[in-house]
C-alpha cells in the first residue's frame, strides 16, 4: 500500500510538470523603420519596455542600414519575431563605437554590456548616464525610460511602427 502512494505521488509530480517548461509567450510581429533628423538610423538598438508592471523581458533588435527593424523576443529555447499585445515605451540608443573594439561583435556580449549599464544606472547614480550620453549619437532622452516620448501599442496581428 505504501508503494502505491509513493507511485501515485511520483506520477502526480510528473503530470504536473507538463507545461511548466514553456517560458515562451504569444508574440505579434513588430516591424518598422527608424529615422533620426529625417534620415534612416542604422545600427541603433531599439527596445520595447512594457508600460504596465510585471515580468521584465527585453523585446529588442538593431536597425539595418536603411533604418528597418524587426523586434525579437529571445527565450532560452528559441527566438521569436515580435512582442506580446500591450503598451510599450520605445527606447532607442545609438552610441559611438570604441576604436579599440574588434570588427566582429558578439550580440550577446553587447546586450550583456547594455544590461550592465542599465543596472549601474539604477544603482550607482548619474555618472554612468553622463558617460553614456557623452558618447550618444542621438538625443539621450530616447534611451531613457523616464524621458522617451516614443510609445507603441502592440495589437494582435502585424504591427508596423
Amino acid at each position: 500500500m505504501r508503494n502505491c502512494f509513493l507511485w501515485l505521488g511520483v506520477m502526480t509530480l510528473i503530470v504536473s510538470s507538463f507545461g511548466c517548461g514553456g517560458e515562451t509567450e504569444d508574440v505579434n510581429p513588430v516591424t518598422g523603420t527608424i529615422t533620426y533628423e529625417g534620415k534612416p538610423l542604422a545600427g541603433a538598438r531599439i527596445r520595447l519596455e512594457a508600460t504596465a508592471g510585471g515580468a521584465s523581458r527585453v523585446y529588442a533588435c538593431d536597425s539595418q542600414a536603411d533604418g528597418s527593424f524587426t523586434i525579437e523576443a529571445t527565450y532560452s529555447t528559441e527566438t521569436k519575431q515580435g512582442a506580446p499585445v500591450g503598451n510599450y515605451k520605445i527606447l532607442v540608443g545609438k552610441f559611438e563605437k570604441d576604436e579599440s573594439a574588434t570588427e566582429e561583435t558578439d550580440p550577446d556580449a553587447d546586450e550583456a554590456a547594455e544590461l550592465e549599464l542599465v543596472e549601474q544606472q539604477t544603482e550607482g547614480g548619474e555618472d554612468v548616464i553622463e558617460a553614456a550620453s557623452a558618447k550618444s549619437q542621438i538625443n539621450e532622452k530616447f534611451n531613457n525610460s523616464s524621458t522617451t516620448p516614443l510609445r507603441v501599442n502592440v495589437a494582435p496581428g502585424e504591427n508596423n511602427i
Side-chain angles (χ1 to χ4, degrees):
M1 184 72 156
R2 191 169 157 178
N3 285 339
C4 182
F5 284 117
L6 179 61
W7 184 82
L8 182 61
V10 169
M11 289 306 294
T12 302
L13 284 174
I14 291 172
V15 170
S16 67
S17 69
F18 294 139
C20 289
E23 67 171 77
T24 63
E25 53 201 333
D26 290 331
V27 296
N28 299 281
V30 179
T31 59
T33 302
I34 186 164
T35 61
Y36 186 70
E37 296 179 343
K39 298 177 185 168
L41 186 61
R45 186 71 174 160
I46 302 163
R47 300 180 320 275
L48 301 184
E49 179 182 289
T51 57
S56 61
R57 172 157 306 278
V58 176
Y59 305 102
C61 65
D62 293 323
S63 61
Q64 303 300 311
D66 63 355
S68 65
F69 64 89
T70 301
I71 295 292
E72 295 180 339
T74 303
Y75 303 93
S76 62
T77 57
E78 67 182 318
T79 298
K80 292 184 173 184
Q81 304 290 311
V85 169
N87 293 310
Y88 297 89
K89 294 178 184 178
I90 303 173
L91 304 172
V92 181
K94 171 120 170 117
F95 299 94
E96 292 178 14
K97 293 194 186 241
D98 182 4
E99 289 89 29
S100 64
T102 61
E103 285 296 315
E104 292 184 28
T105 60
D106 179 4
D108 292 332
D110 290 345
E111 189 162 332
E114 181 180 325
L115 290 173
E116 183 177 327
L117 179 63
V118 170
E119 287 175 7
Q120 290 174 359
Q121 179 177 339
T122 57
E123 294 174 8
E126 296 182 4
D127 293 340
V128 176
I129 297 171
E130 289 177 18
S133 65
K135 296 180 181 179
S136 180
Q137 294 181 344
I138 63 172
N139 189 321
E140 63 268 6
K141 75 178 179 182
F142 296 114
N143 197 35
N144 186 319
S145 180
S146 61
T147 59
T148 183
L150 307 174
R151 303 282 192 272
V152 66
N153 178 32
V154 174
E158 304 260 338
N159 294 269
N160 190 351
I161 58 175

